[in-house]
């Protein structure tokens, strides 16, 4: 079975400060890991993914994430947050060996960036 | 616009009724996925189809069914509706079916179902 945990329901950060959204995962084999963002009344938008290779993955809108196998984590980061980054962020995992392409999502973390 | 089209955007119906949600995948994508997003359950995977065939199944209730047609559009049928079925239903699509590739899902804007 595969699962994802996002331990924080909400993260508050001041504009210009670093932003971190935490994610830990559990799979029986190797993981594919993803971050998506959801703005109000919109569908989820892909930010970045980890497949293999470099543990630091760069994605859209200045976001990056660091894969840590020993800690089974895939935290999302942005060096300098913008008010427009306020949204709901989802981490997702897929077991490489699983049939199909089922992604399991975490519960989401709401990010609020204050001016 | 993500290229994934879902209709209707909003739907209000009564308990016991049946509704059909429709999804047209992004051009070139062969896989279609259905997810349910509710406040208490988060984002739950329901089912995946690839080129007309079921590929993966999640926590889909027996009252729910789906299919993917030859033109690759998909429909999610929800019957004997209950208050708890009120949720946002997302369709997503991807090029492949999974396997060794990390196929990125492209999501539609969702269909909001309200059961009264």
């Amino acid at each position: 079975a595969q699962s994802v945990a996002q331990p924080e329901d909400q993260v508050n950060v001041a504009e210009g400060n670093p932003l971190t959204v935490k994610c830990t995962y559990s799979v029986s084999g190797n993981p594919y890991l993803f971050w998506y963002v959801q703005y109000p009344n919109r569908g989820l938008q892909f930010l970045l993914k980890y497949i293999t290779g470099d543990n630091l993955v760069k994605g859209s809108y200045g976001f990056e994430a660091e894969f840590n196998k020993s800690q089974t984590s895939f935290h999302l980061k942005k060096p300098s947050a913008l008010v427009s980054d306020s949204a709901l962020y989802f981490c997702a995992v897929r077991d490489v060996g699983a049939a199909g392409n089922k992604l399991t999502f975490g519960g989401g973390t709401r990010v609020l960036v204050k001016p | 616009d993500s290229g994934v089209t879902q209709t209707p955007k909003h739907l209000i119906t009564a308990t016991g009724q049946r509704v059909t949600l429709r999804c047209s995948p992004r051009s070139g994508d062969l896989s279609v996925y259905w997810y349910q997003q509710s406040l208490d359950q988060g984002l739950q995977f329901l089912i995946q189809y690839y080129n007309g065939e079921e590929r993966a199944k999640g926590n889909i209730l027996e009252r729910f069914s789906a299919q993917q047609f030859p033109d690759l559009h998909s429909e999610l049928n929800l019957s004997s509706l209950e208050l708890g079925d009120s949720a946002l239903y997302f369709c997503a699509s991807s090029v492949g079916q999974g396997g060794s590739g990390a196929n990125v899902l492209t999501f539609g804007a969702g269909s909001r179902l309200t059961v009264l």
Side-chain angles (χ1 to χ4, degrees), chain A residues 32 34 36 38 41-46 49-51 88 90 94-96 98-107, chain B residues 33 35 37 43 45 48 55-58 88 90 94 96-109 112:
Chain A
Y32 290 142
F34 303 80
Y36 283 81
Q38 184 180 23
N41 301 314
R42 302 281 294 276
L44 279 70
Q45 297 177 32
F46 169 73
K49 68 179 178 182
Y50 170 82
I51 304 174
L88 189 56
F90 290 94
R94 189 196 129 206
D95 191 321
V96 172
N101 194 31
K102 171 188 172 183
L103 289 191
T104 297
F105 285 83
Chain B
Y33 311 76
Y35 280 83
Q37 185 179 35
L43 202 61
F45 170 75
Q48 175 198 357
R55 287 292 289 129
K57 204 166 186 177
L88 196 51
F90 284 111
S94 71
Q97 58 176 319
S100 60
N103 289 276
V104 173
L105 271 61
T106 300
F107 282 79
R112 182 171 296 282

Side-chain angles (χ1 to χ4, degrees), chain A residues 9 12 14-15 19 39 42 46-47 57 59 66-67 69 74 79 83-84 88 94 98 101 115:
Chain A
D9 289 335
N12 298 315
E15 188 174 32
L19 169 64
Y39 297 99
R42 302 281 294 276
F46 169 73
L47 282 178
V57 178
E66 186 166 9
F67 172 66
K69 187 171 184 177
F74 189 56
V83 172
S84 57
L88 189 56
R94 189 196 129 206
N101 194 31

Side-chain angles (χ1 to χ4, degrees), chain B:
Chain B
D1 184 4
S2 68
V4 178
T5 303
Q6 289 189 247
T7 57
K9 286 186 170 48
H10 301 276
L11 191 55
I12 301 174
T13 189
T15 54
Q17 295 298 304
R18 172 189 169 95
V19 298
T20 296
L21 308 180
R22 182 188 168 101
C23 170
S24 293
R26 199 179 56 157
S27 177
D29 286 356
L30 298 178
S31 273
V32 170
Y33 311 76
W34 287 98
Y35 280 83
Q36 178 193 57
Q37 185 179 35
S38 59
L39 286 175
D40 56 344
Q41 294 287 325
L43 202 61
Q44 297 289 316
F45 170 75
L46 297 179
I47 199 162
Q48 175 198 357
Y49 281 87
Y50 174 76
N51 206 20
E53 306 240 342
E54 183 183 305
R55 287 292 289 129
K57 204 166 186 177
N59 301 321
I60 187 166
L61 300 172
E62 284 192 11
R63 300 183 287 108
F64 296 0
S65 65
Q67 57 183 321
Q68 186 180 28
F69 295 86
D71 66 353
L72 301 178
H73 91 272
S74 178
E75 292 181 358
L76 179 65
N77 299 297
L78 315 174
S79 61
S80 303
L81 286 168
E82 302 175 358
L83 296 177
D85 297 328
S86 295
L88 196 51
Y89 291 84
F90 284 111
C91 172
S93 69
S94 71
V95 172
Q97 58 176 319
S100 60
N103 289 276
V104 173
L105 271 61
T106 300
F107 282 79
S111 293
R112 182 171 296 282
L113 173 66
T114 302
V115 183
L116 300 175

Side-chain angles (χ1 to χ4, degrees), chain A residues 12-34:
Chain A
N12 298 315
V13 62
E15 188 174 32
N17 282 2
L19 169 64
T20 298
V21 186
K22 296 179 181 177
C23 170
T24 58
Y25 67 89
S26 174
V27 294
S28 55
N30 292 315
Y32 290 142
L33 292 156
F34 303 80

